[in-house]
Amino acid sequence: MFTDARELETGTTLEVDLCVVGAGAAGLAVTLELLDSSCSIAVVESGGRGPSDRTQQLAAGRARGRLFGRNNRYLSATRTRAFGGLGEDWHGSCRALDPEDLIVRSWVPASGWPIDAATLDPYNARARSLFGIDVPARRDERTGLLAADDAFESSWLDYSPRPSIAERFRGRFAQAGNVNVLTHANVVEIALDEGGRRVVDLVARCLDGPELVVRARYFVLAAGALENARLLLASNGQRPHGIGNENDLVGRFFMEQVEMRAAYVALPGQRRAMAGYDAVQAGDGGLHPVRAIMRPSARLQARHELLNSLITFSPVAAADIGELASHVGRLAAATARLDSDSTPDAAAEPYFGAVTLRSEQPPERRSRLVLGAERDELGVPRIDLAWRFDDHVVWSLRTTARLLGENLGRRLLGRLQLRATGRVNRRRFRWSAHQSGTTRMSREPSEGVIDTDCRLHDVSNLFVAGSSVFPTSGCSGPMLTVVALSLRLGEHLRRLLASP
Amino acid sequence: MKTISRRTVLRHLATGLGVSALGLPACRRSDFAELIDALAALATDREAAGAIGRAFLDEYPDEERDRMARRLALELDWRSAMPAADLASALLLRIERDFRDAKTVLVNAWVLSQTEARWAALITLA
């Protein structure tokens, strides 16, 4: 059921088995595992059914970084405080992390997850099912893909046919007798017991409304990659540095994915194949929407010490690229015709496209959020975010683009024009709103905030869900992995709650 | 066994080719004209090649006709009266190898094979 917390009496105390903070994709997926069980659950959500300006203002803060402008609205624009969370602005793309994202790579400092791909696989499959993308792949028949290669791989990026998280789950949560979704309730403090090893309750406040307390056996923070860390840091009444922050790691290793408008391509005879890359192909005939993407293979990454990146194409007119583009396309066709085995397609009108690369960033300890001096309307310190990424990201993006150009040339597929060759600027580079890493998962408390069960290393009943637990971000959108990890956490909590 | 005179050695050294090119007969300027004509004949789109050739020469003014021809003759293992099909195969192979070995040039930021850029430039100069 849903309860508008503003209508409760001040001083109301709710006692439940499980309290989940945040009704975004992570919080809802954790709760799904326990829907219609004998456990009582409170889901505490800051917003209502849709976002409101005043509630969004609670997310505002200061964000600094080379791709942020002055007076930017990054913090409030990239996060949504409402039922469904950021999932309401999600376009539905679902892609698991690549296997190499999870392993230690010598050229990526602090890389490697403490869980492996095999651990995630069954939960990825369940997440795919939840999003309606578990249908058999008959997709190659719709359109072609560029031929396989050991340097650059092409594959289909799946899109959920119903990307609205709220729409997908609202009915089930409204009907569930054991779940109470408290809307308009903003958690402002997490209280520990005297020993500081166990959460006793948390305090939530409404704008112009009552203050309430939620007591539970277990708590899950699922408020978003930045808000999870903010809540831990702001709950510093008993531990001066915040909860779970004995090793000064909460808020650190903040990661974004860096996008670069990297290049243009002229690919003679490839118009049909590139139709799959150009835009999301509508789902029809029982198939979900897809879009073709490329990425450097694990082998190429290792050989050149590249970061993982995802490559997308969008069509452009030759005239928009420049005077020489048409000639380059025709020269590429003429070169392809030198091959006595070339097909007539090689001479066809070239495909012209813009190439965008999206890269992971290596985990960076200095990239962090702290509590700022300003406070929000409810008295919680606002976020002061310093996003840092080193030149490896820029070098890797540029090198990947150049290698793609050489690869297309070698395979007689076409030619590539590099765009972002000058200094890093916001015309060519941007953030992707894929935030992660502020409460990273680790085996050892000295290396991260939570353990492999997503529980805080030093608090026995406090768990974290969402992309804040990612040790590395990969280049995929985080949604599928967030939901997979949350389903796994929900399963873990179900076992814990089953014991007295 | 073929003998090489001191005079031949000196001539090759003077043209900058060194000993590795001693077996190459195509070093005379008149031979370059034949090679350039043969390369131009392979271009099925001379207008496009010409445009790229001009852009390449604008960006790399040190590239000089005879030196480019000499280099291509070497790299393509060109011989006078070489069949066009053989020259086309050699040119294609070299372009593919350039891309594989990162022997590329940027022409107006387009990543082109060194060989194809010189091919285009020679067509411009033909």
Side-chain angles (χ1 to χ4, degrees), chain A residues 145-270:
Chain A
L145 282 175
L146 290 178
D149 180 66
D150 65 353
F152 285 91
E153 301 167 351
S154 278
S155 60
W156 293 106
L157 175 60
D158 300 303
Y159 282 76
S160 174
R162 288 171 57 213
S164 169
I165 299 285
E167 180 192 319
R168 188 171 287 272
F169 293 125
R170 185 177 288 124
R172 293 182 66 182
F173 278 79
Q175 288 168 10
N178 66 322
V179 177
N180 190 356
V181 180
L182 294 162
T183 56
H184 304 286
N186 303 280
V187 175
V188 295
E189 189 182 354
I190 303 163
L192 300 174
D193 65 6
E194 283 188 6
R197 297 285 174 192
R198 188 174 177 80
V199 177
V200 177
D201 56 39
L202 53 79
V203 179
R205 284 191 201 126
C206 304
L207 292 166
D208 299 331
E211 178 175 296
L212 46 134
V213 173
V214 183
R215 293 198 176 123
R217 288 171 66 193
Y218 296 101
F219 295 83
V220 176
L221 292 184
L226 293 163
E227 211 65 22
N228 284 344
R230 180 190 182 193
L231 281 172
L232 290 172
L233 293 171
S235 299
N236 53 9
Q238 289 148 289
R239 294 195 191 180
H241 303 295
I243 296 174
N245 199 25
E246 298 307 303
N247 294 303
D248 187 23
L249 290 170
V250 174
R252 290 193 182 273
F253 296 100
F254 169 76
M255 293 175 284
E256 252 280 12
Q257 292 169 344
V258 181
E259 288 186 0
M260 180 176 85
R261 292 172 183 168
Y264 290 116
V265 287
L267 309 176
Q270 298 297 334

Side-chain angles (χ1 to χ4, degrees), chain A residues 329-493:
Chain A
R330 286 159 56 188
L331 180 72
T335 302
R337 279 194 293 264
L338 291 172
D339 183 356
S340 56
D341 296 330
S342 67
T343 62
D345 275 357
E349 184 66 15
Y351 164 87
F352 293 100
V355 183
T356 301
L357 269 64
R358 186 173 79 206
S359 171
E360 63 174 329
Q361 77 159 99
E364 164 73 66
R365 187 181 160 85
R366 294 176 311 139
S367 181
R368 70 183 301 197
L369 73 89
V370 295
L371 299 178
E374 278 190 37
R375 291 176 182 266
D376 68 16
E377 193 178 340
L378 295 170
V380 180
R382 292 193 184 279
I383 288 172
D384 186 348
L385 175 69
W387 175 33
R388 291 189 171 92
F389 60 92
D390 66 19
D391 289 339
H392 189 182
V393 177
V394 178
W395 173 87
S396 176
L397 282 164
R398 287 178 171 153
T399 304
T400 302
R402 178 136 190 168
L403 288 169
L404 177 64
E406 291 167 0
N407 179 271
L408 294 171
R410 180 176 61 76
R411 297 162 70 194
L412 301 179
L413 290 171
R415 301 293 178 270
L416 176 144
Q417 184 190 37
L418 299 169
R419 292 178 72 189
T421 52
R423 57 190 286 269
V424 175
N425 62 49
R426 280 183 279 133
R427 282 181 57 236
R428 293 278 186 263
F429 294 82
R430 58 160 287 154
W431 41 265
S432 62
H434 293 161
Q435 301 151 352
S436 60
T438 60
T439 62
R440 67 195 322 249
M441 183 191 289
S442 68
R443 279 196 201 289
E444 301 300 326
S446 59
E447 294 170 354
V449 177
I450 63 157
D451 65 15
T452 55
D453 288 328
C454 295
R455 198 201 77 183
L456 260 72
H457 281 294
D458 59 354
V459 180
S460 64
N461 65 339
L462 180 55
F463 295 81
V464 181
S467 57
S468 65
V469 310
F470 289 13
T472 54
S473 69
C475 59
S476 305
M479 183 62 84
L480 189 82
T481 307
V482 163
V483 170
L485 281 169
S486 301
L487 292 171
R488 178 172 172 268
L489 173 57
E491 196 176 270
H492 180 66
L493 287 165

